[in-house]
Amino acid sequence: MASVERDGPGQDAAVADQPVAAACNGGGEGYCVGPTLSRAELFTLTGDGDNKDHDTGIYITVKTNDEKSLLASINNADSSGKDMTTYNDDSHHIVPLVVEAPGTGKSECYGFRVRMWIKTNGNDNWTIDVARVTLYFSDGTTLVAEKFGFNLDGDGDTVEFAAL
C-alpha cells in the first residue's frame, strides 16, 4: 500500500488502499487516492413569509458525520448596510463557503452535517423555502444536504440538517 500525505488542519497521513483505475495513472499497477474536497457553497431560496434583512449575517458550519472535523464554514455572510444583501421574497442567493479542510476525501464527507444560524441587528425573521449546502470534489462529483420550508426567527436562531 502507498502512503499519501494530506494537507490541512487535522489531516494525518492516510493510507490509500484503492486499486488504481485507468483514470489515475493510465491503467498501470499501483494505488490511487479518491476524489477530494475542493469547494463548498450555500444556496438559499427565500420564501414569501419574510425576507433576510441587509444587516443580518449568515453563519454556517459543515462538519463530518461524526462532527470531529470541520469541513467548511462562513461567518457573517451577506451582512452590510446596503440593499444588495437583503434577500427579498422569492429570491435565490449563493454564498461560497470557506473550505477548512481542503483535500479531505469524499468518503470522509458522506453524511456531513450542517449547522446554519443568523445574527441579527434588531429583529429579523427569515423565511427559507430551500437551504442547500453542496460540497464539490476533485472528480466533478458532489454531495448535498438540504432543508426545506423553515424560518430563522431572531438573533441566534439555528437549524441543523445533514446529507443523506
Side-chain angles (χ1 to χ4, degrees), residues 9 37-40 70-73 97-104 135-136:
L37 180 61
S38 57
R39 72 182 177 97
L70 180 63
L71 300 171
S73 68
L97 304 179
V98 175
V99 174
E100 304 287 353
T104 299
L135 302 184
Y136 294 86

Side-chain angles (χ1 to χ4, degrees), residues 23 26 39 77 91 93 118 122 133 164:
R39 72 182 177 97
S91 66
H93 298 270
I118 58 173
V133 171
L164 299 176

Side-chain angles (χ1 to χ4, degrees), residues 19-48:
V20 172
C24 291
N25 67 1
E29 293 293 322
Y31 295 89
C32 179
V33 172
T36 57
L37 180 61
S38 57
R39 72 182 177 97
E41 69 183 22
L42 166 69
F43 166 89
T44 59
L45 175 59
T46 299
D48 290 331

Side-chain angles (χ1 to χ4, degrees), residues 42 60 112-116 131-133 145-147 150 159-163:
L42 166 69
I60 299 272
F112 69 88
R113 303 174 87 48
V114 176
R115 181 173 181 254
M116 177 179 178
R132 177 183 309 123
V133 171
E146 296 179 306
K147 177 79 174 171
F150 64 98
V159 65
E160 295 185 16
F161 52 102

Side-chain angles (χ1 to χ4, degrees), residues 64-139:
T64 54
N65 188 35
D66 63 7
E67 297 191 23
K68 291 183 179 178
S69 297
L70 180 63
L71 300 171
S73 68
I74 196 71
N75 291 315
N76 206 31
D78 279 359
S79 175
S80 74
K82 302 182 186 218
D83 287 339
M84 64 188 226
T85 57
T86 297
Y87 287 16
N88 291 316
D89 292 359
D90 299 316
S91 66
H92 66 275
H93 298 270
I94 295 175
V95 176
L97 304 179
V98 175
V99 174
E100 304 287 353
T104 299
K106 184 176 181 180
S107 62
E108 298 171 62
C109 297
Y110 288 112
F112 69 88
R113 303 174 87 48
V114 176
R115 181 173 181 254
M116 177 179 178
W117 69 101
I118 58 173
K119 288 192 179 178
T120 65
N121 184 7
N123 294 322
D124 191 11
N125 175 21
W126 180 20
T127 301
I128 303 169
D129 284 347
V130 179
R132 177 183 309 123
V133 171
T134 305
L135 302 184
Y136 294 86
F137 296 90
S138 58
D139 65 350

